[in-house]
């Protein structure tokens, strides 16, 4: 008896607060949503010390009278629903009536509000959940809330907060996403006295996309005008074409019924729309707005309301994918009409009888011929595949010329030249790669694999991972002998950063400089990259640099050595021959020869295998020839 006690109100609030108020970012999200719910068209967010010191949000929305202001801080007090059915018809973000009391429980809060029908405003104060007073004050219509010393009464929680710069970055990203979702609202974000964002004068989604991602994005925007895709279901989207991608899903932005949410289902549908356009491990940049009937949604699955469940998503999914696919493919086809055939997305090397392969889009059938210039048949190099390496020496020159042919881009030709430049075997027919003796070449499979043999059996070598490993070790070796590995760019590359990336860059600018990136500020969240680490291909710089910043932002303690390695790995990957590249015998022999020199011939720097071996013993087994007795 007597062991069970009711918690006092501040303690209960503190516990409940844990669910809604995880960190400064979640406070900003709740308050921002309240301001949007209040119908504001100007919201100013000010933060200090990563939001722990101060979060101040000012809006020109409907405001509250004194009575409501007091009620707003009662748990389960909300103006947004009255009964449980209402949550199925929600038009607003809030409905739990939990945010304000939760925030007030773990900080010092002052809220000042004045509604349109009143002559005076009111100010209310709480500290650690304890009411400290309500007074009349003069105030313009709208609401200002100040949250100070977040978690001052929860030291354990405070200790686990991320660094201030991380939090500022994340808050900046959140505000930017809302700014994209609500082009009719002006958002202003001030962090530690500096204006990080002000969308004044940016009145369309397109203008705001450019503001956030830089002017390069403008021509890549594929807009989907608002359309009904099912009964009461509306879709509107801005998809960014596959030329600009990211290495994480952070820029896949979804608004459902006006709230910024995460949804594994929507993510999947979006990525399926981009399927085959974007390489594995890369993710699109896209803003997707969905309006669904209230009963289609279960918004109540997550206290912070960041995750939602869509009922009967299986019916919605194919419609979404179709919309995304059609829009992207249409954009892609118009663009590709001007590209050399091997760069056309989805292009397959033609088989003789297949030059009129049909590409189907929604209503129209377009023949491959219309899209791309006629493709010359297999390269002339075919017959040289099995010439002897002894004479190959002299064919190198001819080969170099034939690479300029239509099937090869300049970049491919350059990479092929690189293979040639490297030491070529003279009379050696056989190479010995670690643990694999006397390898001889048989040919190339599917323009992607080198087929070779030795006494033990058949060897299948992935030409890309093989070359990647060779380049990686070469770069590493050069790296160790060189103090600086910077390569100046003739034309500097402009990059436009999100607030989060910006704060990461500022934090790591010296590390990046040591790695070879010379970066110069060029306006708000905009930089010029003047020099890059040696070996990185210039055309990929922007994406690579942003990926690097995202990696830096995500991981806690990345050492310079780790980053350096990452740069070398990328440089090797970019520089290596790809799958679907035809290699001649000389090139294949060179690759094998170089592979014989590397330390680790088994995996590429990403850890993918290089060689697959099928032993004679296995072959005998497969073909039921009894056991292999060795060479006769
Ligand atoms: P919820 O948003 O779930 O209703 P909150 O605790 O966030 O719960 O807010 C409680 C109530 O306070 C809201 O329902 C709304 O009526 C009022 N409110 C909160 N913020 C504002 C604001 N910025 N402007 C006008 N009213 C507000
Ligand atoms: Mg709310």
């Amino acid at each position: 008896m007597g062991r069970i006690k009711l918690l006092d109100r501040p303690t209960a609030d503190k516990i409940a607060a844990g669910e809604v108020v995880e960190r400064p970012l979640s406070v900003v999200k709740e308050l921002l949503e309240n301001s949007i719910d209040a119908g504001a068209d100007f919201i100013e967010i000010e933060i200090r010390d990563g939001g722990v010191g101060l979060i101040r949000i000012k809006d020109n929305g409907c405001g509250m009278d004194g009575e409501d202001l007091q009620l707003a801080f009662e748990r389960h007090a909300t103006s947004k629903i009255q009964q449980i059915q209402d949550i199925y018809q929600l038009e607003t973000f809030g409905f739990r009536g939990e945010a304000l009391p939760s925030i007030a429980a773990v900080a010092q809060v002052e809220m000042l509000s004045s509604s349109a029908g009143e002559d005076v405003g009111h100010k209310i104060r709480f500290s650690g959940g304890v009411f400290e007073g309500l007074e009349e004050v003069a105030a313009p219509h709208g609401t200002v809330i100040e949250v100070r010393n977040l978690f001052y009464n929860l030291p354990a929680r405070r200790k686990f907060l991320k660094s201030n710069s991380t939090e500022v970055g994340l808050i900046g990203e959140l505000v930017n996403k809302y700014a994209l979702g609500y082009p009719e609202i002006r958002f202003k974000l001030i962090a530690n006295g500096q204006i990080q964002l002000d969308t004044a004068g940016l009145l369309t989604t397109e203008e705001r996309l450019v503001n956030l991602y830089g002017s390069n994005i403008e021509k890549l925007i594929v807009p989907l005008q608002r359309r009904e895709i099912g009964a009461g279901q509306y879709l509107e989207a801005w998809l960014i074409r596959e030329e600009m991608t990211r290495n994480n899903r952070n820029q896949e932005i979804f608004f459902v019924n006006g709230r910024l949410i995460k949804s594994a289902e929507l993510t999947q549908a979006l990525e399926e729309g981009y399927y085959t356009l974007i390489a594995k491990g890369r993710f699109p940049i896209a803003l997707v707005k969905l309006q669904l009937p209230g009963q289609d949604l279960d918004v109540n699955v997550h206290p912070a309301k960041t995750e939602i469940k869509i009922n009967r998503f299986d019916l919605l999914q194919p419609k979404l994918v179709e919309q995304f696919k059609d829009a992207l493919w249409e954009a892609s086809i118009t663009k590709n009409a001007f590209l050399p055939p091997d760069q056309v997305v989805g292009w397959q090397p033609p088989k003789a009888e297949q030059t009129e392969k049909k590409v189907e889009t929604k209503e129209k059938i377009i023949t491959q011929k219309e899209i791309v210039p006629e493709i010359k048949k297999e390269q002339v190099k075919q017959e040289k595949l099995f010439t002897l390496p002894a004479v190959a020496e002299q064919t190198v020159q001819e080969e170099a010329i034939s690479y300029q042919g239509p099937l090869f881009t300049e970049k491919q030709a350059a990479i092929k030249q690189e293979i040639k430049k490297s030491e070529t075997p003279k009379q050696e027919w056989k190479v010995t790669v670690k643990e694999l003796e006397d390898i001889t070449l048989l040919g190339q499979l599917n323009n992607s694999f080198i087929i070779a043999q030795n006494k033990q059996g058949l060897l299948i070598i992935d030409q890309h991972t093989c070359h990647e490993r060779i380049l990686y070790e070469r770069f590493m070796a050069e790296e160790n002998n060189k103090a600086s590995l910077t390569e100046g760019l003739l034309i500097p590359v402009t990059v436009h950063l999100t607030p989060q990336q910006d704060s990461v860059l500022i934090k790591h600018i010296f590390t990046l400089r040591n790695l070879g990136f010379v970066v110069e500020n060029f306006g708000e969240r905009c930089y010029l990259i003047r020099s890059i680490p040696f070996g990185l291909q210039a055309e990929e710089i922007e994406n690579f640099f942003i990926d690097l910043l995202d990696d830096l932002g995500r991981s806690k303690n990345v050492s310079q050595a780790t980053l350096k390695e990452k740069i070398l790995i990328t440089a090797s990957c970019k520089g290596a021959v790809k799958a679907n590249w035809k290699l001649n015998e000389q090139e294949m022999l060179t690759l094998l020869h170089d592979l014989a020199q590397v330390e680790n011939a088994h995996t590429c720097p990403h850890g993918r295998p290089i060689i697959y071996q099928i032993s004679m013993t296995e072959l005998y087994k497969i073909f039921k020839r009894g056991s292999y007795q060795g060479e006769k």
Side-chain angles (χ1 to χ4, degrees):
M1 271 293 285
R3 280 183 28 239
I4 300 178
K5 292 200 179 67
L6 273 178
L7 295 174
D8 60 38
R9 163 80 197 265
T11 312
D13 280 350
K14 240 158 101 176
I15 294 169
E19 275 187 68
V20 189
V21 187
E22 220 182 321
R23 54 197 290 184
L25 177 70
S26 36
V27 174
V28 174
K29 182 164 194 290
E30 289 293 338
L31 299 179
L32 203 60
E33 290 178 350
N34 278 350
S35 294
I36 296 173
D37 281 349
D41 65 8
F42 180 22
I43 304 175
E44 188 181 282
I45 302 112
E46 190 181 342
I47 52 176
R48 252 177 254 155
D49 309 321
V52 179
L54 172 76
I55 295 171
R56 182 172 182 276
I57 300 201
K58 182 177 167 196
D59 69 50
N60 62 355
C62 65
M64 283 169 279
D65 60 23
E67 201 180 318
D68 278 355
L69 190 56
Q70 222 167 348
L71 266 176
F73 284 87
E74 289 293 321
R75 196 160 288 283
H76 308 302
T78 177
S79 57
K80 298 165 194 174
I81 60 170
Q82 262 133 46
Q83 48 191 15
I84 188 69
Q85 287 90 307
D86 292 352
I87 81 164
Y88 301 110
Q89 304 297 337
L90 263 167
E91 298 280 317
T92 54
F93 295 100
F95 66 85
R96 290 169 162 260
E98 266 176 349
L100 291 182
S102 298
I103 295 166
V106 294
Q108 285 145 357
V109 173
E110 212 176 87
M111 196 176 199
L112 202 143
S113 198
S114 156
S115 68
E118 283 186 311
D119 303 334
V120 285
H122 291 86
K123 182 159 93 179
I124 197 166
R125 280 178 295 119
F126 285 87
S127 190
V130 179
F131 172 72
E132 293 207 317
L134 175 75
E135 56 197 280
E136 273 189 10
V137 287
H141 291 158
T143 304
V144 190
I145 181 166
E146 285 184 5
V147 178
R148 288 177 195 278
N149 297 321
L150 187 65
F151 301 134
Y152 78 99
N153 53 354
L154 285 178
R157 169 76 55 119
R158 195 158 173 156
K159 219 165 56 194
F160 284 105
L161 288 180
K162 298 263 158 54
S163 77
N164 287 356
S165 63
T166 308
E167 207 66 15
V168 170
L170 289 173
I171 291 170
E173 203 128 279
L174 177 84
V175 177
N176 262 297
K177 285 179 182 174
Y178 268 108
L180 287 179
Y182 286 87
E184 66 280 13
I185 300 179
R186 174 178 165 199
F187 291 86
K188 188 170 172 184
L189 172 66
I190 305 162
N192 287 336
Q194 282 194 313
I195 299 179
Q196 303 252 327
L197 171 77
D198 187 351
T199 63
L202 304 172
L203 304 176
T204 64
T205 306
E206 283 79 5
E207 286 171 314
R208 292 191 177 187
L209 281 167
V210 169
N211 178 58
L212 182 58
Y213 296 102
S215 53
N216 288 351
I217 206 169
E218 200 169 356
K219 55 184 192 307
L220 301 178
I221 301 174
V222 180
L224 273 81
Q225 253 87 42
R226 185 178 151 95
R227 61 200 62 192
E228 190 165 17
I229 56 170
Q233 303 175 321
Y234 296 89
L235 168 70
E236 192 179 12
W238 290 260
L239 308 178
I240 305 308
R241 265 186 351 216
E242 67 278 7
E243 283 103 313
M244 201 191 267
T245 58
R246 294 291 178 258
N247 67 351
N248 59 70
R249 297 197 160 94
N250 222 353
Q251 311 305 322
E252 299 179 15
I253 306 168
F254 300 101
F255 283 90
V256 176
N257 292 2
R259 18 163 101 79
L260 179 67
I261 52 100
K262 286 191 191 119
S263 154
E265 292 166 329
L266 290 176
T267 302
Q268 184 276 334
L270 177 70
E271 287 174 10
E272 193 167 332
Y274 276 91
Y275 187 64
T276 73
L277 291 175
I278 293 190
K280 243 200 173 131
R282 306 293 308 177
F283 302 97
I285 302 172
L287 168 66
V288 177
K289 287 185 184 177
L290 265 180
Q291 189 76 42
L292 300 174
Q295 68 267 19
D296 284 8
L297 281 185
D298 188 354
V299 284
N300 204 7
V301 292
H302 191 271
K305 295 173 259 115
T306 50
E307 275 163 42
I308 53 153
K309 209 184 140 317
I310 298 172
N311 301 323
R312 300 308 318 264
F313 187 73
D314 53 327
L315 298 180
L316 185 62
Q317 197 265 6
K319 294 187 224 165
L320 287 174
V321 174
E322 188 192 352
Q323 292 286 339
F324 296 146
K325 257 207 159 78
D326 280 0
L328 288 166
W329 276 88
E330 218 156 283
S332 184
I333 285 167
T334 6
K335 171 197 67 180
N336 284 337
F338 305 100
L339 281 183
D342 62 321
Q343 289 184 11
V344 174
V345 178
W347 181 80
Q348 300 275 317
K351 299 197 184 77
E353 74 282 7
Q354 230 196 330
T355 38
E356 289 218 355
K357 189 181 163 221
K358 285 179 176 165
V359 175
E360 248 176 280
T361 60
K362 198 175 158 202
E363 276 132 355
K364 44 192 167 258
I365 309 271
I366 301 167
T367 63
Q368 190 79 45
K369 258 193 179 167
E370 290 166 351
I371 307 167
V372 298
E374 178 102 61
I375 297 141
K376 290 275 166 311
K377 288 248 309 278
E378 290 288 295
Q379 279 294 286
V380 272
K381 302 190 293 117
Q382 183 71 49
E383 71 269 19
K384 291 189 185 146
L385 245 182
F386 289 98
T387 52
L388 302 175
V391 292
E393 254 321 48
Q394 160 223 340
T395 56
V396 168
Q397 285 304 320
E398 301 167 35
E399 292 291 339
I401 296 160
S402 73
Y403 294 140
Q404 330 252 310
L407 259 181
F408 293 94
T409 64
E410 263 173 55
K411 186 173 163 196
Q412 281 172 314
I415 292 173
K416 278 166 166 271
Q417 284 295 355
E418 157 69 22
I419 304 181
K420 279 189 210 79
K421 259 190 279 163
S422 67
E423 196 191 335
T424 45
K426 292 268 156 61
Q427 294 297 347
E428 299 163 59
W429 271 92
K430 300 183 172 189
V431 292
T432 295
V433 173
K434 293 262 154 80
E435 296 153 44
L436 298 170
E437 296 217 325
D438 295 340
I439 300 177
T440 56
L441 178 69
L442 292 176
Q444 192 186 19
L445 172 68
N446 235 354
N447 292 345
S448 300
F449 299 96
I450 298 171
I451 307 297
Q453 68 171 1
N454 69 1
K455 271 189 204 150
Q456 278 73 46
L458 182 68
L459 302 165
I460 303 168
I461 296 148
D462 182 326
Q463 65 193 36
H464 175 67
T465 54
C466 168
H467 197 199
E468 231 180 343
R469 166 57 66 182
I470 293 164
L471 291 179
Y472 176 69
E473 293 203 3
R474 193 174 300 156
F475 288 156
M476 281 294 250
E478 284 171 7
E479 217 333 82
N480 292 336
N481 303 328
K482 227 182 297 167
S484 148
L485 64 164
T486 284
E487 189 178 337
L489 293 174
L490 265 180
I491 303 163
V493 175
T494 319
V495 287
H496 211 90
L497 304 179
T498 65
Q500 189 182 15
Q501 291 156 351
D502 194 41
S503 60
V504 173
L505 173 64
I506 292 164
K507 195 165 151 199
H508 294 282
I509 192 123
F510 289 111
T511 316
L512 289 164
R513 182 164 292 224
N514 287 341
L515 291 169
F517 283 104
V518 177
V519 177
E520 194 178 289
N521 189 262
F522 190 61
E524 201 195 330
R525 283 187 284 112
C526 189
Y527 295 85
L528 287 183
I529 303 180
R530 294 212 170 267
S531 296
I532 56 170
F534 183 78
L536 275 179
Q537 306 252 320
E539 56 187 291
E540 306 281 354
I541 289 308
E542 189 188 348
N543 274 340
F544 180 74
F545 189 69
I546 286 175
D547 286 356
L548 203 65
L549 292 179
D550 285 346
D551 284 349
L552 274 171
R554 264 196 311 248
S555 25
K556 262 207 175 136
N557 304 309
V558 241
S559 69
Q560 189 161 320
T562 319
L563 284 177
K564 200 169 246 181
E565 179 157 346
K566 192 177 156 61
I567 289 173
L568 293 184
I569 289 176
T570 306
S572 322
C573 182
K574 298 268 153 64
V577 290
K578 303 287 180 295
N580 286 319
W581 284 24
K582 193 159 191 56
L583 299 176
N584 68 15
E585 187 184 9
Q586 182 66 32
E587 290 158 350
M588 288 189 276
L589 286 173
T590 306
L591 280 178
L592 285 182
H593 177 266
D594 290 350
L595 188 66
Q597 324 285 314
V598 305
E599 289 282 326
N600 177 351
H602 297 293
T603 59
C604 77
H606 298 104
R608 293 200 307 263
I610 295 173
I611 304 180
Y612 183 79
Q613 212 187 146
I614 304 176
S615 67
M616 289 309 292
T617 319
E618 276 172 90
L619 285 173
Y620 267 63
K621 228 195 232 151
I622 292 167
F623 294 106
K624 307 205 184 306
R625 282 172 158 265
S627 59
Y628 179 59
Q629 304 295 336
E631 255 185 319
K632 299 260 157 66

